[in-house]
Amino acid sequence: MAEHTPSTAIEMGGEEIAVGRTGVESVEESEVLTDKMIRIVADLNARYSNMTLREERCIHDAEKQLRMLEEKIRTMESNPSIICDNDLQEASKYLRLANKIRQLVEDLRSSNFTNVDKEWDNLLIRAYDLLQMAMARLEEEFVHLLAHYRQPMDPGRLSFRSTEDDSMEDFSSSSFGEEPIEGKIQGDSSSSPEEYIVDLINSHAIATIKSIAEVMFLSDYDKECCQAYITARKDALEECLLVLKIEKFTIEELLSIEWSALSSLIRRWNRGLKVLVRVYLASERRLSHLIFGELSKSVADSCFVEISRGSFVQFLSFGEAVAMGPRKPEKLFRILDMYEVLCDLLTDISSLFPNESGFSVLTECNEVLLRLGEAVKNTFMNFKYAIQTNTSTTPFSGGGVHPLTKYVMNYIKALVDYSKTLNSLFGSQTSENQNLSSESTTMALHLQSITAALELNLEGRSKLYKDDSLQNIFMTNNICYMVQKVKDSELRKFIGDDWIRVHNRKFQQHALSYERASWGPVLSFLREEGILSPNSSMPSRTVLKERFRGFNSAFEEVYRIQTAWSVPNSQLRDDLKISISLRVVQAYRTFMGRYAAYLDGARHRERYIKYCAEDVEKYLLDLFERSPKSLPYAHRW
């Protein structure tokens, strides 16, 4: 330590001069001393004697105070148990002792002793050692309080709707083989962020924890205090993630997981991220500011960022892995869910990380959101391509509604719930359809392109049937299904009434084409032309027999084949039967009324007139029930 040389001021010749101890000694040793000089020297000696006494008294007092503090600290340190376990009041006593030690260190450090340098140095070293001992104990108590009074978070008390165990089917593959579609999982009711805040530490312990932090900061142990706090709260956050069933995966592991398992993890991720951001991290940030906010808001923010960064980035890595995966159609809804959840939480995340310390977190969050958005757009476009390339060489049995039609229409029906998100991702586009609102045109254009791709696919599939009638039944069934899905859902707002009218005409035209192809040949046997005998006004029995026999054969063949066909829509099925009945039964009844009597007395008459009009009408009711039948010998005359 540098040697201190005391000095004092004297007046000589009208001027004030600073004289040190060596100067006084020089004056005393001088051979010639005036009376005035003698008086000055005597005054100086008195002053230095008083200064030395004062310094010695200060050192004595400090020594006494330090011994008392050492004794009290060692007494409390002799008990290895945590002080706070006994009583928070005991902790307050220890805090007061630590604060006194800190104050003593500051006093000693600020003192300018001159004649007792060695004593002062020893005293300061002892005070520093005692302060270090007290700080180590306070850090231990600090960590214990943070752990002991930690309040576990119960997700069951939260208002967030669980999306993990919903009894809804999900896409199992991209084979378009299933009708059930799991679309948007409804979000939570809107609430203010304050409603989600919970106490992560029992409020009874907050004051003591804050006081420990304050003493440690004032004692220049702020780094140790912050590190202890960060470590303790990271452990609490890990426990929260376990409660939320959030597991740690590498990106490589996530990319290799089966889709059904990954879909479940995504649901868990969506819910977990909401709880993490709006409940846990919001509460964690408030706790950091409760403990450190009055000491330093920047320290409070830094502690919070350090605590939360790792776990939050873990969540973002999951989203990044999903965005990197294959663009299969069955993944679109879950990726959309992830995009919407993260987008919805962006404001909350920005408020959690408002400063430069959290800038990297916000940057990564926006990058993952961008990647998820690109994954949504690419997956949507791949869905259209998957429809176009989903071909077959085998016709669909019975001509009913193809699984592809069900899948696609339910798929786009479910997409309507994401219309705002899809519109924002795809950007604004114009449509020639004036009946569509401006905010639905972008979505409408994409949905119409999907239905157009589906129609084109169905037309190709219809060509697989050798029977023209079945081709038309197939198209009637499928286009009717598409129209009903649009009419009976929110798709109508996006695809529009014009589309419905056009496609109503389409399936009705296919129905009419079916009737002509199927029943035209049957009804051709009931035509009037060629029945009369040559040069006679009487019908030819031979021609009549051929006509009735031909009708019977054609009707039975149609009956045998078309009872195995399928028209799932009950209204369409009834309409078809009524239309067929009106044409066939009426024509048959008229033909019977005019010509049946001419076969009276003919041998084996029942072979030609096998059915009455009522029989035909009854048998027509069996069509399209997907239950193949053959006609019995019906009516005996």
Side-chain angles (χ1 to χ4, degrees), residues 1 3 46 68 77 126 147 193 224 437 441 487 496 580 583 588 595:
M1 179 176 291
E3 184 177 348
M68 178 193 69
E77 287 291 329
R126 284 171 56 195
E224 291 82 353
S437 62
T441 53
K487 285 174 63 176
I580 294 167
R583 296 184 66 184
Y588 186 68
Y595 302 113

Side-chain angles (χ1 to χ4, degrees), residues 138-139 142-147 150 200-201 206 209-210 213 216-217 221-237 280-281 283-293 299-308:
L138 280 181
E139 182 179 334
F142 186 70
V143 171
H144 174 75
L145 285 171
L146 290 171
R150 185 168 73 199
L200 300 179
I201 297 290
I206 293 294
I209 294 172
K210 285 179 64 177
M216 293 186 74
F217 267 64
Y221 280 79
D222 49 316
K223 291 181 179 178
E224 291 82 353
C225 180
C226 289
Q227 189 55 54
Y229 180 81
I230 289 167
T231 301
R233 293 311 304 164
K234 275 187 175 180
D235 291 343
L237 180 50
Y280 193 88
L281 292 186
S283 303
E284 189 68 63
R285 188 171 191 275
R286 186 188 70 162
L287 180 62
S288 289
H289 279 265
L290 275 176
I291 304 300
F292 300 112
V299 167
D301 285 334
S302 297
C303 286
F304 166 72
V305 171
E306 190 63 29
I307 291 164
S308 58

Side-chain angles (χ1 to χ4, degrees), residues 327-577:
R327 308 290 197 251
K328 294 183 178 178
E330 67 270 21
K331 295 185 177 183
L332 179 58
F333 294 96
R334 298 291 71 82
I335 299 174
L336 274 165
D337 285 337
M338 294 180 74
Y339 180 88
E340 288 195 342
V341 166
L342 190 55
C343 193
D344 185 49
L345 292 173
L346 206 54
T347 301
D348 301 85
I349 295 168
S350 298
S351 65
L352 288 173
F353 303 100
N355 301 319
E356 187 176 346
S357 58
F359 179 75
S360 62
V361 177
L362 279 176
T363 300
E364 188 158 355
C365 182
N366 281 298
E367 286 177 356
V368 172
L369 193 64
L370 183 64
R371 291 192 188 103
L372 286 171
E374 288 299 316
V376 166
K377 291 191 286 186
N378 291 335
T379 304
F380 185 90
M381 301 311 294
N382 281 357
F383 175 59
K384 180 178 176 180
Y385 177 74
I387 296 170
Q388 294 168 337
T389 56
N390 186 271
T391 59
S392 174
T393 57
T394 306
F396 183 60
S397 177
V401 179
H402 197 278
L404 176 66
T405 307
K406 295 178 181 180
Y407 188 98
V408 170
M409 294 309 296
N410 282 287
Y411 194 101
I412 64 174
K413 176 185 173 185
L415 280 177
V416 168
D417 289 331
Y418 299 93
S419 58
K420 288 184 179 179
T421 298
L422 291 171
N423 275 331
S424 68
L425 286 172
F426 284 111
S428 60
Q429 298 182 35
T430 57
S431 171
E432 296 178 359
N433 192 338
Q434 300 300 317
N435 295 324
L436 298 175
S437 62
S438 58
E439 58 184 36
S440 65
T441 53
T442 300
M443 185 75 171
L445 289 170
H446 285 288
L447 293 181
Q448 287 178 2
S449 72
I450 294 294
T451 59
L454 175 59
E455 281 185 67
L456 194 61
N457 184 291
L458 292 171
E459 287 172 7
R461 289 178 182 276
S462 71
K463 300 297 189 294
L464 297 173
Y465 298 105
K466 296 179 180 179
D467 188 335
D468 288 347
S469 300
L470 190 50
Q471 287 183 16
N472 284 291
I473 280 291
F474 176 77
M475 293 303 294
T476 300
N477 275 324
N478 284 272
I479 296 178
C480 178
Y481 182 90
M482 293 169 68
V483 169
Q484 286 303 122
K485 278 293 178 182
V486 173
K487 285 174 63 176
D488 298 340
S489 71
E490 291 294 303
L491 280 170
R492 185 170 196 156
K493 290 196 308 186
F494 295 89
I495 294 182
D497 289 339
D498 286 345
W499 184 95
I500 293 174
R501 282 190 289 271
V502 168
H503 286 77
N504 262 328
R505 288 195 295 271
K506 278 189 177 183
F507 85 76
Q508 289 167 2
Q509 184 61 47
H510 280 295
L512 184 59
S513 297
Y514 150 76
E515 287 188 25
R516 289 171 178 166
S518 282
W519 297 102
V522 176
L523 294 175
S524 68
F525 292 102
L526 304 180
R527 69 185 185 279
E528 297 286 339
E529 295 82 2
I531 290 180
L532 298 179
S533 298
N535 303 319
S536 172
S537 60
M538 297 293 290
S540 167
R541 276 195 170 190
T542 301
V543 173
L544 287 175
K545 287 178 182 180
E546 289 176 356
R547 294 290 184 87
F548 276 108
R549 189 162 44 224
F551 174 85
N552 295 337
S553 178
F555 181 79
E556 289 166 3
E557 181 66 9
V558 170
Y559 180 89
R560 181 185 65 81
I561 293 173
Q562 296 192 14
T563 51
W565 291 1
S566 172
V567 178
N569 185 296
S570 58
Q571 184 62 53
L572 176 61
R573 187 169 60 246
D574 290 344
D575 288 346
L576 283 171
K577 290 177 181 179

Side-chain angles (χ1 to χ4, degrees), residues 151-165:
Q151 298 196 147
M153 199 179 63
D154 178 14
R157 295 189 297 112
L158 305 176
S159 61
F160 294 106
R161 178 177 178 268
S162 173
T163 62
E164 183 183 349
D165 301 317

Side-chain angles (χ1 to χ4, degrees), residues 258-271:
E258 291 286 336
W259 168 242
S260 58
L262 183 59
S263 178
S264 178
L265 289 175
I266 290 173
R267 294 192 198 98
R268 201 180 297 172
W269 184 90
N270 287 335
R271 180 173 185 266

Side-chain angles (χ1 to χ4, degrees), residues 9-56:
I10 62 173
E11 186 176 335
M12 296 184 69
E15 295 183 2
E16 203 173 73
I17 303 172
V19 181
R21 168 62 67 183
T22 54
V24 173
E25 291 171 350
S26 298
V27 172
E28 288 178 336
E29 293 171 0
S30 176
E31 294 181 356
V32 181
L33 291 175
T34 65
D35 291 342
K36 187 175 182 180
M37 291 176 66
I38 292 171
R39 288 195 302 272
I40 290 172
V41 170
D43 183 58
L44 287 173
N45 281 324
R47 290 189 190 183
Y48 282 119
S49 296
N50 290 335
M51 286 175 62
T52 303
L53 288 173
R54 282 198 302 272
E55 289 177 358
E56 288 176 350

